[in-house]
Amino acid sequence: METILKARDLTKEYITGRHTVKALNGVSLNLERGEFIAIMGPSGSGKSTLQHLLGGLDRPTAGQISLGNQEISRLPDTAATLIRRRNVGFVFQFFNLIPTLTAEENILLPILIDGKKAKAYQERLDRILQRVGLTDRRQHRPDQLSGGEQQRVALARALITESAIILADEPTGNLDTKTGSTIMELLQAAAHEFQQAIVMVTHDPRAASYADRVVFLRDGQVVEESILAQDTGQAQRVKDILSILEKLEVASC
Ligand code: ADP
Ligand code: MG
């Protein structure tokens, strides 16, 4: 196993007016190459904050984050942006596609933004389009695609760069159950076939059941971690997650 991301003792405080909110309070977490983790916890427990720090979208108030061998939590903005562009992909609840571009133009966007030639990525593009089942939709614009297809475009856009990390924020939040399952299967494949680690925030135990590991937050702290055995059936994994959520809820009363 190769640890690609190490987070040590992360604290994040937000100061609004005279109030300070401690969104994270001493979180440590390692991420292995190609590992799929889900972050769960009640609203306000710090899930989005943790995800943003891990992806370099924001900086911790205290603590360290290293990506590979590089400490990234104190870098100046321009350096942080460059590291993020090269190493982090995003799949959000609202697919965040550019409406005037075709599916394949949307997918190639991070390549072009990074100043690389799209031509060099043609083969990879074809392979990814095939893998996410969009080969015959490649010339369509977002408004000509279903929600599930749009989310597959967003996922393909995160796959094309071969980023070490993909952040997924409620990726199935706007999809029906069946379409959501397809997206989860593809995310799982991204982790295991393409070796891109995934950090997914979700409320949905079904979505979380596709992960290798679930990290549970409460009040800005990791209160439980569960490694999901992939050889048990999905129904059992969902049950296991539900029982942990229930236990944590009871404990917080
Ligand atoms: P979650 O994603 O689990 O709902 P968040 O990470 O969004 O939790 O928020 C954790 C805590 O930090 C909450 O109390 C929230 O109100 C607060 N918070 C998050 N972002 C900000 C911000 N930009 N400014 C002030 N407070 C914030
Ligand atoms: Mg959130």
Side-chain angles (χ1 to χ4, degrees), residues 104 123 126 215:
E104 69 179 7
E123 222 168 280
D126 290 344
V215 174

Side-chain angles (χ1 to χ4, degrees), residues 35-36 88-98 102-111 124-125 127-134 142 145-172 175 179-200 210:
E35 187 183 21
F36 183 1
V88 186
F90 303 91
V91 180
F92 291 136
Q93 181 173 5
F94 305 101
F95 319 121
N96 294 77
L97 302 177
I98 307 227
T102 64
E104 69 179 7
E105 287 166 344
N106 266 290
I107 295 168
L108 287 169
L109 203 56
I111 300 297
R124 185 165 171 85
L125 175 67
R127 187 154 75 90
I128 288 170
L129 281 167
Q130 179 119 39
R131 189 64 187 84
V132 302
L134 285 175
L145 299 170
S146 70
E149 287 169 338
Q150 290 182 55
Q151 193 60 306
R152 282 185 270 153
V153 173
L155 177 57
R157 186 183 52 189
L159 295 177
I160 194 96
T161 59
E162 303 178 79
S163 63
I165 300 171
I166 295 175
L167 303 186
D169 186 2
E170 297 282 1
T172 59
L175 303 173
T179 312
S181 302
T182 308
I183 293 295
M184 292 317 303
E185 279 162 18
L186 286 170
L187 273 176
Q188 198 178 47
H192 298 163
E193 280 173 37
F194 294 90
Q195 289 288 293
Q196 287 171 280
I198 295 171
V199 178
M200 174 179 75
Y210 287 85

Side-chain angles (χ1 to χ4, degrees), residues 47-48 169 201:
K47 303 183 295 294
S48 299
D169 186 2
V201 166

Side-chain angles (χ1 to χ4, degrees), residues 10-14 22-24 39 44-55 57-60 65 201 217:
L10 296 181
T11 300
K12 179 68 180 179
E13 290 175 355
Y14 293 108
K22 208 164 208 176
L24 288 182
I39 302 175
S45 59
K47 303 183 295 294
S48 299
T49 301
L50 176 60
Q51 194 191 39
H52 291 170
L53 295 186
L54 296 179
L57 291 172
D58 201 356
R59 290 192 183 80
I65 304 172
V201 166
L217 292 184

